[in-house]
Amino acid sequence: MPATGERIFFLTDFLSLPYNIVVKKALVFFGGFAASLLAAVFVFPFQNSALAATVPTGFVDELIVGGLSQPAAFAFLPDGRILFTEQKTRRIRMIVNGAISTTDPITTIADVQTAGNEQGLLGIAIDPDWPTRPYVYVYFDRTPGSTIYLSMFTASGDLNDPASHNLSLGSRYDIITDIPDAAGNHNGGTLRFGPDGRLYPSLGEDADFCRAQDSGSFKGVILRISVDSLPGAGSGPASKSSITPADNPFPGSDNARLAWAYGLRNPFRFNIDPQTGNLYIADVGQSNYEEADECRGGENFGWPFREGPDTQVVGGCTEPGGSGNGSFIPPIAYYDRSGFTASIISAGLYRPIPATNFYNFPAEYDGDYFFIDYYQGFMRRIKKSGSTWITPPPVPGQPNAADWAAGFVSGSDFQVGPDGALYYLLQFVNFAPTSGQFRRIAFLKGDLNLDGKMSGADIVTLVACVFSSIPPPAGAAACDLDCSGAPSAADVVLLVNFTFSGSPFPC
């Protein structure tokens, strides 16, 4: 295989050739690479799916793994393997190189309560100091009893091998064991680590709406926990003072001092901005509105006295100062859900992966927030403009002006992966049993002919763009793959290396 310099020298010979000769020579030159396979730690083989979501031009929605049983949440190990929970089977399973691990499951948690429709094994997170601290954290409704547990497991096996199936979860330590769970719904369920190293669990208000206004109730709150002293001796639970960060915002009881924000109904899914540490919370509404909230810590979001933009009088609950006079933080986005079944799910605030680019979204998406509706299936995008959030102008290929994408019915968890793609779980396809899927939305930077895949045809198109100034369907600007300001032979080398060797783009 020629060195990079030799390849560039060869390609520059195309400069004086007419287009039809360029194409013929390019096909001969690149044909030898056609049998090569795309191979990189975080790049899975593409799988065609008739059930792919509708996404804008230049993006592709891809199936990674199907046939799952109501998957609820997932987390990336630093080496690229993926752990995910199944809500009702009580299992934690692993994906290795785009397939279910031969070690399956890596554990089953026997005391998960699954009786209620929203109950089960709901959240999972990986210790940010993995593999030095080889801990996996889970959030689940527990049986017997009427409580939710936050627990951690110690992993063993190959802790830092992307191709290994040798991983299991052993000893368990229960961190918190007294989160109320009297109702079968409004359980919350997200676990995320922030860039501060703190663990953030989301707790629903357990269908006890008045108590969401009590920061110490463990109802309708986001917690912020220090795991530095964990696991403690024995099997737990930890003393609350030992897991309370000194800079948490609320005084009062032990429970209140663990709270980061409150006044929420059912924050089933939220995501954390890796740059600012802000939380972006999808709070499921009751009758009128679904809402998204931005959280820096210390907020009261107003439930049950506020739902979206509405002020509500709630029997049995007294708003401080009288109806309409409470001081609450308004949502950054909301939509009317009257007349149809709805549940908002956070799809995250998008940040590109720095330094290398496999499937990063274009630069204009940096800092944009996405959310879906679990039952309606649309995905929407908002952008911060000054101090407010707006719906940006539609991009080519959007289903309509309001919806950035569509086809996400039963979406349960979304996270940006280590390759820049947006990964997600569908609990069901058409709500059929064992039809759940793990998928991703990727931006194909080198898909110059906009056919939804990366192939030698794109390389031929780029050669024509670079050496014959023929713009591709994606536009002339798309030919500048190295962000140098102008297309060049170096861009062709980048596309060849990405397409056939899995090498990332530099920008």
Side-chain angles (χ1 to χ4, degrees):
M1 188 174 187
T4 300
E6 294 173 323
R7 188 183 296 129
I8 292 175
F9 176 77
F10 177 87
L11 290 171
T12 56
D13 290 341
F14 288 166
L15 280 168
S16 60
L17 298 176
Y19 174 63
N20 63 322
I21 302 299
V22 168
V23 171
K24 290 178 181 178
K25 285 186 174 290
L27 287 171
V28 171
F29 178 74
F30 295 117
F33 296 103
S36 301
L37 296 176
L38 188 63
V41 172
F42 301 120
V43 181
F44 301 118
F46 294 173
Q47 299 188 46
N48 293 327
S49 172
L51 298 172
T54 301
V55 293
T57 303
F59 292 82
V60 62
D61 178 75
E62 301 164 347
L63 173 68
I64 306 299
V65 178
L68 310 179
S69 182
Q70 200 170 342
F74 70 96
F76 288 96
L77 291 173
D79 60 25
R81 292 176 293 179
I82 298 147
L83 305 186
F84 69 94
T85 71
E86 289 182 337
Q87 185 172 340
K88 299 300 185 180
T89 69
R90 307 176 174 93
R91 298 186 296 184
I92 298 177
R93 307 176 73 186
M94 181 166 65
I95 297 172
V96 181
N97 290 332
I100 294 294
S101 174
T102 56
T103 303
D104 187 46
I106 62 170
T107 199
T108 300
I109 304 175
D111 55 337
V112 172
Q113 170 65 269
T114 62
N117 184 53
E118 297 178 15
Q119 292 177 317
L121 182 51
L122 302 178
I124 187 168
I126 308 299
D127 196 291
D129 290 330
W130 183 286
T132 303
R133 288 174 52 86
Y135 304 127
V136 176
Y137 301 80
V138 292
Y139 180 100
F140 61 94
D141 301 89
R142 198 237 180 193
T143 186
S146 300
T147 56
I148 292 171
Y149 273 29
L150 171 61
S151 303
M152 62 191 296
F153 287 85
T154 300
S156 61
D158 295 328
L159 301 178
N160 198 27
D161 182 348
S164 177
H165 298 261
N166 177 25
L167 190 76
S168 60
L169 300 184
S171 61
R172 168 174 145 185
Y173 181 86
D174 296 324
I175 304 169
I176 299 177
T177 61
D178 61 344
I179 299 169
D181 191 28
N185 60 354
H186 300 191
N187 310 120
T190 300
L191 284 182
R192 310 266 194 234
F193 277 95
D196 57 0
R198 305 307 190 193
L199 179 61
Y200 294 80
S202 65
L203 283 57
E205 37 87 298
D206 195 33
D208 186 6
F209 38 87
C210 296
R211 296 295 303 285
Q213 282 300 303
D214 178 357
S215 61
S217 67
F218 272 6
K219 296 189 175 190
V221 304
I222 306 289
L223 305 183
R224 180 173 181 259
I225 293 170
S226 171
V227 301
D228 297 344
S229 64
L230 300 177
S235 58
S239 69
K240 289 175 181 172
S241 61
S242 71
I243 59 174
T244 303
D247 56 346
N248 274 6
F250 299 112
S253 67
D254 286 348
N255 288 0
R257 287 187 288 112
L258 281 172
W260 188 242
Y262 67 107
L264 296 160
R265 184 173 180 267
N266 187 27
F268 174 63
R269 285 291 175 252
F270 70 86
N271 295 80
I272 301 179
D273 181 355
Q275 291 187 10
T276 66
N278 292 345
L279 279 62
Y280 292 86
I281 305 164
D283 195 21
V284 179
Q286 178 171 276
S287 302
N288 300 319
Y289 292 95
E290 304 291 301
E291 73 177 56
D293 300 302
E294 183 180 38
C295 174
R296 295 177 174 85
E299 293 91 348
N300 178 352
F301 292 105
W303 175 257
F305 305 117
R306 301 291 184 273
E307 183 182 6
D310 275 5
T311 296
Q312 303 182 137
V313 176
V314 181
C317 308
T318 302
E319 181 174 342
S323 180
N325 294 318
S327 179
F328 306 120
I329 303 300
I332 60 173
Y334 56 86
Y335 58 94
D336 189 337
R337 48 86 42 84
S338 58
F340 59 86
T341 303
S343 286
I344 188 172
I345 303 290
S346 176
L349 186 122
Y350 188 83
R351 295 292 187 190
I353 302 302
T356 59
N357 177 6
F358 287 100
Y359 300 116
N360 279 347
F361 289 16
E364 59 265 30
Y365 288 89
D366 190 357
D368 291 357
Y369 180 63
F370 293 85
F371 56 88
I372 71 150
D373 189 275
Y374 184 93
Y375 293 101
Q376 303 305 312
F378 58 72
M379 176 180 282
R380 293 180 178 172
R381 169 194 177 203
I382 59 173
K383 178 184 290 290
K384 196 162 192 177
S385 176
S387 60
T388 62
W389 291 80
I390 63 169
T391 299
V395 298
Q398 278 193 205
N400 54 63
D403 302 336
W404 185 80
F408 301 94
V409 171
S410 84
S412 62
D413 198 12
F414 291 74
Q415 296 178 63
V416 176
D419 57 3
L422 180 59
Y423 287 78
Y424 67 97
L425 289 170
L426 295 181
Q427 293 204 291
F428 309 96
V429 174
N430 297 324
F431 291 94
T434 62
S435 62
Q437 297 183 345
F438 184 61
R439 306 183 66 93
R440 72 176 175 189
I441 302 169
F443 179 72
L444 301 185
K445 180 171 180 173
D447 180 20
L448 302 182
N449 57 16
L450 299 179
D451 64 354
K453 60 181 182 292
M454 305 280 283
S455 69
D458 295 297
I459 299 169
V460 173
T461 301
L462 181 57
V463 168
C465 178
V466 171
F467 300 119
S468 298
S469 300
I470 300 175
C479 300
D480 181 20
L481 298 177
D482 63 0
C483 306
S484 65
S488 70
D491 296 303
V492 181
V493 173
L494 285 173
L495 187 55
V496 169
N497 287 338
F498 180 91
T499 304
F500 299 118
S501 299
S503 300
F505 296 111
C507 59

